[in-house]
Amino acid sequence: MSRLLPRLRTNLEFLPSPMPDRPGLLIRDAFAYSDVSLIIPPALVECLTCFDGMQTDLDLRALLVRMTGDLRSGEAGEHLFQALQQAGFLEDEHYEALKQRKHREFQESPFRPSILAGRSYPDEPAELRAQLDSYFRDGDAPAPEAGLAGIAAPHVSLDGGYACYRSAYQALPANFLGRVFVILGTSHYGAPETFGLTRKPFRTPLGDAVTEARLAEELAAKGGPAAQMEDYCHSIEHSIEFQVLALQHKYGAGVRILPVLCGPYARSLHQGGKPEDDPGVAQFLDALREIAAREGERLAFVIGVDMAHIGRRYGDGFSATARQGRMTEVERLDRERIARIEAGDADGFWELVQKDQDPLHWCGSSALYTFLRVRPQARGRLLRYEQWNIDPQSVVSFAALAFHDAAQAANTLK
């Protein structure tokens, strides 16, 4: 009797193996339902096509026989099936149980725990403070912006982007200590046209940042179907965690935040029109805009975004080196988009992103567009632009920007 093979999950990450002595395809679970990573040997990579929910173990066996000419090779197919199943990489009951357990654990947790402590930065408080001191102490602070509304900073790792983080966070004045920081972060794993919310405080080795639950509840109530309260993506997403660390370093552990994960505006990107042509997106933007107008200077915005993602890691058929070769043209295109952001031109910015369905792969475009729509009077100033080789073949670009309210700044200067 043949056995129908489950489908390979579509929400996994696939990367070339980073281990020279173990070449192949690395598979890992971006959603952290499973903590297992697998390296599929080159000879077996083609076999993954059999896990499409329509083929059987006999189809897998037949493929292996054709590939190897060995009638006994079916055993390798069974080993592959067992490895994928035990890792939770197949759409079956085991995966569903892992998923439900992780979602339940996040729902029941009284706080959002750090996912990067001990990995991307020290988990010991004194060591972490020393590292953050070294990242943020050097460099000249920009002149204070009249009517400062907020900043944009990277969400790349601190060791790769610390100079841009420093430029952005030095633009925040000390007297912002009592404000609520609305953190608009990229949702790398969230559903398109959705916004992830949470009431939970963000816990880091420095302490607990206090989430403004009242505003989160208001956004959930008024934001419509696009608003997802206690979005599981908060438990695995790094784009807000890095901003929380930087804010805690500047203002203290108990800094107040309103964390919002911005899913991609995929419908608009691929089908045309504006993101708010989607009724759910429009309702959420209206709700956040209403809160921003009502709360006024009680709020400040922090946008945690990276920009271009270029090179083999991101599916390009070539290697990329920061500010060399093709990356010089990427910088020109990045700066063209940044100029639209500085001008507060949401429509012009989005038109550039939409062109050819964003070959630059800006992962921060939805968060930036959200800010431009929520704070239409904001005008930006580029403080620093960088490109960084995240690996020898791939580059990420990012920037630091300060935003001010144009009308308020004009009144201040009168």
Side-chain angles (χ1 to χ4, degrees):
M1 292 287 293
S2 65
R3 176 184 61 199
L4 187 67
L5 296 173
R7 190 169 70 158
L8 189 68
R9 286 171 50 193
T10 58
N11 54 3
L12 298 169
E13 285 188 327
F14 300 88
L15 299 167
S17 170
M19 304 173 64
D21 59 333
R22 291 186 62 193
L25 183 67
L26 172 68
I27 308 178
R28 63 189 183 193
D29 189 350
F31 284 77
Y33 299 136
S34 169
D35 58 5
V36 175
S37 294
L38 294 177
I39 296 177
I40 308 301
L44 292 180
V45 170
E46 187 179 348
C47 295
L48 296 176
T49 61
C50 291
F51 295 89
D52 59 2
M54 296 183 290
Q55 300 186 62
T56 69
D57 57 339
L58 296 182
D59 295 315
L60 176 59
R61 181 185 294 269
L63 175 60
L64 282 164
V65 171
R66 289 196 302 271
M67 290 168 54
T68 65
D70 187 349
L71 294 175
R72 299 167 297 177
S73 60
E75 187 175 335
E78 183 62 23
H79 286 321
L80 176 62
F81 167 72
Q82 292 291 339
L84 292 171
Q85 184 182 57
Q86 292 170 15
F89 291 172
L90 300 177
E91 294 183 352
D92 60 11
E93 292 180 356
H94 179 53
Y95 161 57
E96 286 300 324
L98 289 174
K99 179 179 178 180
Q100 290 176 19
R101 177 171 62 85
K102 286 289 189 176
H103 281 249
R104 184 173 62 253
E105 288 175 354
F106 179 67
Q107 286 280 345
E108 294 175 353
S109 174
F111 57 86
R112 187 273 189 189
S114 167
I115 61 167
L116 299 174
R119 295 167 49 203
S120 294
Y121 57 81
D123 56 5
E124 199 282 318
E127 185 181 353
L128 175 56
R129 289 190 184 94
Q131 184 183 82
L132 293 173
D133 285 344
S134 70
Y135 286 156
F136 287 95
R137 82 160 59 97
D138 298 327
D140 296 328
E145 293 277 355
L148 188 73
I151 60 169
H155 60 232
V156 73
S157 63
L158 289 166
D159 61 333
Y162 68 89
C164 259
Y165 279 103
R166 181 179 61 214
S167 294
Y169 280 90
Q170 283 182 336
L172 290 175
N175 63 7
F176 273 29
L177 173 61
R179 298 203 180 192
V180 176
F181 292 91
V182 182
I183 307 177
L184 303 178
T186 298
S187 188
H188 292 92
Y189 312 110
E193 286 77 46
T194 62
F195 301 86
L197 305 173
T198 182
R199 311 174 189 86
K200 302 180 189 299
F202 272 57
R203 178 163 294 180
T204 77
L206 300 180
D208 287 1
V210 180
T211 294
E212 196 80 350
R214 176 182 63 84
L215 294 181
E217 294 279 9
E218 182 179 348
L219 265 181
K222 297 180 178 179
Q228 298 188 354
M229 179 56 83
E230 301 306 351
D231 179 13
Y232 174 78
C233 288
H234 272 291
S235 71
I236 56 173
E237 182 57 69
H238 64 274
S239 63
I240 288 179
E241 182 170 333
F242 281 130
Q243 314 313 319
V244 170
L245 270 185
L247 287 169
Q248 287 181 318
H249 177 262
K250 188 174 185 78
Y251 296 111
V255 64
R256 292 187 297 162
I257 62 173
L258 176 60
V260 180
L261 286 174
C262 302
Y265 290 143
R267 186 172 297 132
S268 172
L269 181 64
H270 297 293
Q271 299 177 13
K274 299 177 182 180
E276 59 268 34
D277 291 341
D278 180 283
V281 170
Q283 185 171 346
F284 186 89
L285 294 180
D286 285 345
L288 185 54
R289 188 183 303 113
E290 177 186 328
I291 290 173
R294 184 191 71 221
E295 299 291 328
E297 292 186 9
R298 184 170 174 269
L299 304 182
F301 282 79
V302 171
I303 315 163
V305 292
D306 289 339
M307 294 178 176
H309 293 66
I310 306 294
R312 297 192 183 278
R313 185 187 187 100
Y314 306 111
D316 292 318
F318 56 87
S319 297
T321 302
R323 285 187 151 137
Q324 295 183 26
R326 299 184 191 213
M327 292 307 299
T328 58
E329 175 63 7
V330 170
E331 178 170 352
R332 185 188 71 78
L333 295 172
D334 278 348
R335 288 180 178 274
E336 186 178 19
R337 295 185 184 186
I338 291 169
R340 294 297 87 217
I341 295 169
E342 289 181 294
D345 181 4
D347 290 338
F349 167 66
W350 194 250
E351 287 172 3
L352 292 175
V353 174
Q354 282 178 315
K355 186 177 180 181
D356 300 323
Q357 298 183 356
D358 191 15
L360 300 182
H361 312 300
W362 267 41
C363 74
S365 57
S366 61
L368 285 162
Y369 185 87
T370 296
F371 173 76
L372 293 175
R373 285 303 188 204
V374 170
R375 292 298 306 264
Q377 296 296 321
R379 300 295 179 265
R381 179 163 66 94
L382 178 64
L383 305 176
R384 189 181 185 95
Y385 171 85
E386 289 193 53
Q387 296 181 356
W388 178 59
N389 269 92
I390 194 169
D391 64 36
Q393 299 179 317
S394 313
V395 174
V396 177
S397 68
F398 39 87
L401 295 104
F403 294 95
H404 62 277
D405 187 295
Q408 185 176 346
N411 290 334
T412 302
L413 294 173
K414 288 180 180 179

